[in-house]
């Protein structure tokens, strides 16, 4: 848990949070002229010695992206945090800059770390103090000090911190339960500080096993929504709808929705905007990729895959009894080249052939197996399998 | 970390450990007639409320097997622990019995849990006290109390505990740093107790995220060895050896060995006995599965897959330019039925076709991609992909 530091400028009243854009006034409302400017400092100068890996833990990759980028993304979601200051060592300054650029983080300032964690936090606070001539940051009223290696927290956790920062002056009582940071804030920044209890989610990535856990948690989170893009040629009660039913049964913790693309694709774009990272695309009556190609085009145009790999499973229904399966696979084999192409945009494309048998029992078994394969592809998000043509 | 309890029978001298069979005398040597009988008590009556899942955490599945079975397996590796007493609630007694039977655990006694963790440990100790007429257990000199939800520890951790049990009487100093268990041991069992520091490996599965971490750690551990079974028809410098080189480059933390099966298969059996859980089986000159079938036969006869799923990747080299790939795939498609068959024995079979191109650059690219796919199949051990025919 991280302490909040209350700045020298005393705040007035804290109102319930309003949702709005980054940098919007905190708690501003018609009846309250008061606003609370909140900033965050992320000390990220650690060298990760407990991790047992060469890379400092904040730069270790989780789902292909440095851990600190996941933490920044979580902070960016909180619209009332105005500025974020990341404190890194000189040697990691360029790495950090390229992370900010590649993953399109906004409103981040970089400050060089000190010799100790304390000095680093102090440098971060100084940058926010606004008493340096070159400083473009406005002076906040509350500063949240947040570990770069704690990517999991709820807005409520931070809200508690900010509330405590408003309510508490500097008391000896609080300090008895405090951490090193609290003492630092008190001693050097002429600031008030208090320790606030966090939720169990607010854990810190410390050991290598925590990286495994972080990756699994993130994979689970982004696999909570699956969108089935139906084939326009498809009639009700056809294969796509059958698969939807089976998927809903197999994945009962996942929100499975289906959509028939409208002429301008705006309904698909809406789903992309809602950050759905898993798509199952039906190509029912043909062996070509028309439907999948359209979807991939829209995904490539969007920014969706900047933060997480997007999985697209291109599903093809074929009756295995109408001639050898291998012949039908021939025309689908070029999914391999296609997959290599979209991989550049962090989209993982796989093909899946489902036996559209006339035998009801065989069809159900094939649908069920298809659902299991889809679930695995979405859950694992493993790029080693891109371009493969799987058979259910 | 778990305390050790020293029984009422004072032990004499502790000598360096000798490796040997379960139940062998601890530290017995020609020059020392003394022996130290060690037993372990596993309190496993918890209900897992912090886990946020319905199943008590000791019964949550990690790689398909209940967590407590992983802990028992780790304790069984320590040859000088004579008896293991698992304390479970009445309602979980049958579940526990079936776990012991299914995963072939030996030397385990079951005792019913009490209303609290303390009472449960007490019941476990009572069973070992040997003062009950019906008790078949011999009275140990040292008892290790080990959480059922700590599957990761080294023999050294336990050795430290046993050493401390020998060296320390009951001191007030130790108790100041002690846990609830220490006090229990002291108060009710007329036994001596001490707190011993454990390694960071000795962590406890508490939250759901810990289950993710445990699964990843175990997957990593059992994927540290890969055995390439070469095709007997193959000449030196052929495809199998090329793939071996590429695999060694791609997986530089993994021990990759290759073996040409001898006539009676004894060299493969030796590798199975050494607990290698990942096999890559070459079928170079033909499109049949002769080599893979032999290996599967040996794996089915062994007990290897009782504890972990064994991955077998059946590799087939084909020149993609000599006719359409789909025709060649036809004969390989029956891998699907075969895979369903061996899945019953917890063996995950996948097929992999590698382009044995005459073009050196294409061949290398295909080998590299093949190595990436093999690495993913071995690392993930995902049964959803069994029977699939992947293409590199």
């Amino acid at each position: 848990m991280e302490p909040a530091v209350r700045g020298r400028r005393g705040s007035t009243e804290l109102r319930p949070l309003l949702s709005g854009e980054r940098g919007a006034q905190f708690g501003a409302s018609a009846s309250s002229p008061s606003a609370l400017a909140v900033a965050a400092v992320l000390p990220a100068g650690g060298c990760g010695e407990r991790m047992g890996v060469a890379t400092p833990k904040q730069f270790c990759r989780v789902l292909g992206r440095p851990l600190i980028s996941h933490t920044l993304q979580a902070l960016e979601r909180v619209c009332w945090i105005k500025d974020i200051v990341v404190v890194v060592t000189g040697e990691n300054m360029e790495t950090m800059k390229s992370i900010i650029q590649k993953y399109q983080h906004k409103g981040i300032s970089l400050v060089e770390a000190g010799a100790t964690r304390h000095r680093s936090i102090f440098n971060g606070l100084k940058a926010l103090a606004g008493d340096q001539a070159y400083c473009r940051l406005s002076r906040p009223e509350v500063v949240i000090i947040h570990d770069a290696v704690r990517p999991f927290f709820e807005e409520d956790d931070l809200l508690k911190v900010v509330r405590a920062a408003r309510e508490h002056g500097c008391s000896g009582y609080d300090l008895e339960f405090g951490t090193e940071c609290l003492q630092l804030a008190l001693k050097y920044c002429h600031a008030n500080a208090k320790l606030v209890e966090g939720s169990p989610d607010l854990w810190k990535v410390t050991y290598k096993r925590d990286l495994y856990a972080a990756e699994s948690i993130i994979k689970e989170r982004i696999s909570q929504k699956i969108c089935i893009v139906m084939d326009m040629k498809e009639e009700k009660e056809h294969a796509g709808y059958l698969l939807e039913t089976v998927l809903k049964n197999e994945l009962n913790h996942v929100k499975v929705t289906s959509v028939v693309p409208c002429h301008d694709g705006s309904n698909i774009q809406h789903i992309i905007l809602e950050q759905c990272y898993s798509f199952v695309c039906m190509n029912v009556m043909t062996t070509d990729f028309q439907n999948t190609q359209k979807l991939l085009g829209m995904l490539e145009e969007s920014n969706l895959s900047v933060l997480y790999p997007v999985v697209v499973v291109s599903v093809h229904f074929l009756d295995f009894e109408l001639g050898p399966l291998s012949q039908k696979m021939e025309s689908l084999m070029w999914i391999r080249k296609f997959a290599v192409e979209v991989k550049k945009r962090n989209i993982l494309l796989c093909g899946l052939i489902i036996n559209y048998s006339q035998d009801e029992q065989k069809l159900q078994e094939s649908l069920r197996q298809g659902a299991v394969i889809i679930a695995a592809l979405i859950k694992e998000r493993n790029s080693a399998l891109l371009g493969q043509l799987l058979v259910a």
Side-chain angles (χ1 to χ4, degrees), chain A residues 11-29:
Chain A
S11 80
T12 49
E13 214 174 340
L14 191 76
R15 298 269 164 162
L17 282 182
L18 293 178
S19 194
E21 287 180 85
R22 163 77 64 90
Q25 283 195 318
F26 180 86
S29 79

Side-chain angles (χ1 to χ4, degrees), chain A residues 342-354:
Chain A
V342 294
K343 173 66 175 68
K344 292 172 192 159
R345 294 294 299 265
N346 207 18
I347 297 167
L348 307 179
L349 174 64
C350 274
L352 173 64
I353 304 177
I354 293 179

Side-chain angles (χ1 to χ4, degrees), chain A residues 285-300:
Chain A
M285 305 307 283
T286 63
T287 52
D288 67 26
F289 288 89
Q290 215 183 325
N291 221 16
T292 302
Q293 273 174 293
K294 264 194 196 161
L295 172 65
L296 289 172
M298 281 187 268
L299 286 170
E300 285 193 295

Side-chain angles (χ1 to χ4, degrees), chain A residues 3-7 9 11 13-15 17 21-28 35-41 75 78-85 107 125 128 137-146 155 157-163 165-166:
Chain A
V5 177
R6 182 167 155 188
R9 287 210 277 168
S11 80
E13 214 174 340
L14 191 76
R15 298 269 164 162
L17 282 182
E21 287 180 85
R22 163 77 64 90
Q25 283 195 318
F26 180 86
L36 197 63
V38 180
V41 169
L75 283 171
V78 183
C79 59
W80 43 266
I81 295 179
K82 206 177 157 193
D83 291 303
I84 298 170
V85 177
L125 292 173
L128 287 166
L137 299 173
S138 61
R139 183 191 281 226
E141 283 156 297
V142 171
V143 181
I144 295 165
I145 298 166
H146 185 84
E155 190 168 321
D157 287 325
L158 298 190
L159 187 53
K160 264 199 228 170
V161 170
V162 174
R163 282 215 177 103
R166 183 185 67 102

Side-chain angles (χ1 to χ4, degrees), chain A residues 41 85 87 111-112 119-129 137:
Chain A
V41 169
V85 177
V87 192
V111 165
E112 195 165 333
R119 289 225 164 261
S120 293
I121 294 172
F122 184 52
N123 291 355
L125 292 173
K126 261 199 316 194
L128 287 166
L137 299 173

